[in-house]
Amino acid sequence: MTERSIDGEPQRIAVAGDDAVLAEQRGHVLLVTLNRPEARNAVNRAVTTGVGEALEYAEDTADVWCVIITGAGDRAFCAGADLKAAAAGELGGDDERLRRWGFAGYVTHHISKPTIAAVNGFALGGGTEITLASDLAVAADSAAFGLPEVKRGIFAGAGGAFRLPRQIPDKIAMEVMLTGEPLSARRALELGLVNRIVPFDELLPAAFALADRILANAPVAVQVTKRIAKGITGGKVAAEDADWARSATEGAFLMTTQDAREGMRAFAEKREPRWEGK
């Protein structure tokens, strides 16, 4: 590896969230870590603001050429939304930045710098949606991916419902979303959802090695290439506007249904839900 790799001396970058997110610049790479292992790195307001501010720093700092996002611990990359925080309305609210950045401060936070998800454990629901929003992904061989929201009477509202069918074969994506069943890391690799899988203790070195291959190229050329490939203009992707509008409309309807309420109750009560189809 070069001096820009994981072996470089890290520089801690201050972000909001009381250490729910750690940001370290190592050479030209910004390493962003979801740091709630006791909560399986579930996303609350602190995580959202921390990740969002880290990406803002990356975009505004000429010396950052690539971003790696990972989770703390060896079990979970991200378990999705913290349901207590979501129920309290902490994931939205009156912060315009959170609305613009989307779930986890990430899924609609379109930056020019390439992003790599280093998936250190299971990445179900929001964890898969963070992976889908990343440009590249490296996964531990113990990782798992999936969108199990339908098992709780809800849906993958952070981009999963329309991004997954665009990144893996449509019928496989529909099976994953309509059954709620997970994909192994090996299957995710076969489908092209991730670029490579490695043993857990090789995960960050592999992510930094991939970043180093990007860093060998002209950074502005890389950023221009990403903006063209992703359709990013002024930090927005206009091609997804209709998808997000549809998700908002359908999500608002879904949350009025008895099944959505029953799914949340059943989860809280640790029992199987009793669906009524209304």
Side-chain angles (χ1 to χ4, degrees):
M1 292 186 187
T2 72
E3 70 275 15
R4 299 185 297 269
S5 72
I6 191 172
D7 297 323
E9 186 68 26
Q11 175 190 354
R12 181 75 178 269
I13 305 302
V15 296
D18 295 325
D19 287 341
V21 172
L22 304 178
E24 293 181 348
Q25 185 172 345
R26 302 186 183 187
H28 292 304
V29 178
L30 185 69
L31 175 64
V32 181
T33 304
L34 310 183
N35 190 39
R36 301 185 71 215
E38 75 289 346
R40 300 178 298 175
N41 298 318
V43 174
N44 60 6
R45 190 183 186 92
V47 169
T48 301
T49 54
V51 171
E53 290 189 4
L55 293 192
E56 292 284 274
Y57 171 85
E59 187 73 343
D60 294 341
T61 302
D63 200 38
V64 173
W65 297 355
C66 188
V67 175
I68 295 173
I69 185 166
T70 193
D74 59 3
R75 294 183 56 228
F77 172 61
C78 175
D82 184 312
L83 295 182
K84 291 181 180 178
E90 292 181 10
L91 300 186
D94 57 0
D95 191 330
E96 184 275 334
R97 301 180 308 164
L98 273 58
R99 292 192 294 272
R100 175 161 43 87
W101 295 339
F103 175 76
Y106 195 84
V107 300
T108 55
H109 198 161
H110 304 291
I111 66 172
S112 301
K113 314 298 174 71
T115 57
I116 301 171
V119 184
N120 56 299
F122 69 81
L124 302 179
T128 288
E129 288 171 313
I130 291 172
T131 306
L132 290 168
S134 299
D135 299 315
L136 303 167
V138 178
D141 52 15
S142 57
F145 301 85
L147 298 173
E149 285 84 351
V150 293
K151 292 180 177 288
R152 300 299 174 196
I154 54 178
F155 82 116
F162 59 85
R163 284 177 172 161
L164 188 64
R166 293 173 187 168
Q167 295 190 27
I168 68 173
D170 180 75
K171 285 185 169 55
I172 303 299
M174 293 304 294
E175 180 180 352
V176 169
M177 294 189 295
L178 300 182
T179 66
E181 296 171 359
L183 296 170
S184 68
R186 177 63 60 183
R187 183 62 171 146
L189 177 65
E190 293 170 352
L191 294 168
L193 183 59
V194 300
N195 296 82
R196 54 185 56 87
I197 58 175
V198 295
F200 175 81
D201 59 1
E202 297 177 18
L203 179 65
L204 280 183
F208 274 87
L210 182 55
D212 278 344
R213 291 172 58 198
I214 296 171
L215 301 184
N217 302 310
V220 176
V222 167
Q223 293 158 32
V224 166
T225 298
K226 173 177 173 175
R227 289 196 295 269
I228 294 170
K230 297 291 187 178
I232 301 172
T233 301
K236 297 181 179 180
V237 176
E240 289 185 346
D241 285 350
D243 298 306
W244 288 112
R246 188 177 301 109
S247 290
T249 300
E250 293 285 4
F253 159 71
L254 184 61
M255 296 311 293
T256 68
T257 65
Q258 292 184 29
D259 279 353
R261 292 190 289 272
E262 166 62 10
M264 292 296 97
R265 280 196 300 267
F267 179 80
E269 296 169 6
K270 299 181 180 180
R271 60 173 174 80
E272 289 297 314
R274 295 183 287 271
W275 304 124
E276 297 184 33
K278 57 185 179 179

